[in-house]
Amino acid sequence: MPRSSPQKPTEARRSSGHGAKSTAVREQAVLALLSEKTLGAAAGKCGVNEKTLRRWLAGDEAFRAAYAEARQATFEAGMGRIQALTARAVNTLEDLLDAKKYPSVRLGAARTVAEIGIHQHDAATILQKLNDLEAAQRQRQGARR
């Protein structure tokens, strides 16, 4: 008598048609893409063929949207962690600026502080120009009405 295997839970079954994957498998694929260095490793981690993963990334809009949303959330979480560390980093740079023994350390710290200042200035300048452009566009639109 042939052995029968227990039926998989509904979420683990194929959603429709030959080769279709469940929502849970797709979610695992998104997580694998975020955590693995290569597409092949991600495919292996989530149990999906690499070709399937490539096809989802190339042509499955829902999968691509879920992946993009997860990437954005991961990025924002990382940026939050960096912002939380900023005060410590600035304190460290300040301490390094006072280093007496190693002039190269002072130079590196000074260079880093100057670069951060330049980037901040550039960002502020770009934002101001963007705000000016948006204000001018609103004025033009208001004048047309």
Side-chain angles (χ1 to χ4, degrees):
M1 183 156 107
R3 293 175 22 190
S4 64
S5 59
Q7 188 173 13
K8 294 179 183 177
T10 304
E11 65 186 22
R13 284 187 247 147
R14 293 184 174 158
S15 55
S16 65
H18 177 70
K21 302 292 183 203
S22 71
T23 302
V25 171
R26 289 172 176 266
E27 288 171 357
Q28 290 173 358
V30 167
L31 293 174
L33 284 168
L34 294 173
S35 64
E36 296 299 322
K37 292 181 181 179
T38 67
L39 203 59
K45 185 172 185 174
C46 67
V48 173
N49 187 293
E50 187 174 342
K51 286 183 180 180
T52 300
L53 205 48
R54 287 185 189 283
R55 188 175 65 250
W56 288 351
L57 287 167
D60 186 326
E61 291 302 321
F63 183 80
R64 287 173 36 177
Y67 178 48
E69 184 178 329
R71 283 183 67 184
Q72 183 65 32
T74 301
F75 176 78
E76 288 173 8
M79 289 298 101
R81 290 178 64 195
I82 287 173
Q83 287 175 339
L85 293 171
T86 300
R88 285 179 55 196
V90 170
N91 289 340
T92 300
L93 284 171
E94 190 172 17
D95 291 344
L96 292 173
L97 283 171
D98 293 333
K100 303 286 187 236
K101 195 170 183 181
Y102 302 103
S104 62
V105 170
R106 288 183 63 210
L107 173 63
R111 181 179 292 136
T112 300
V113 170
E115 287 173 355
I116 291 169
I118 290 167
H119 289 305
Q120 179 59 36
H121 175 267
D122 290 348
T125 301
I126 290 167
L127 285 174
Q128 183 59 51
K129 288 182 179 186
L130 181 60
N131 287 335
D132 293 348
L133 287 169
E134 289 174 340
Q137 186 177 15
R138 282 192 298 275
Q139 282 181 338
R140 282 194 299 262
Q141 288 175 346
R144 290 182 195 163
R145 292 180 184 173

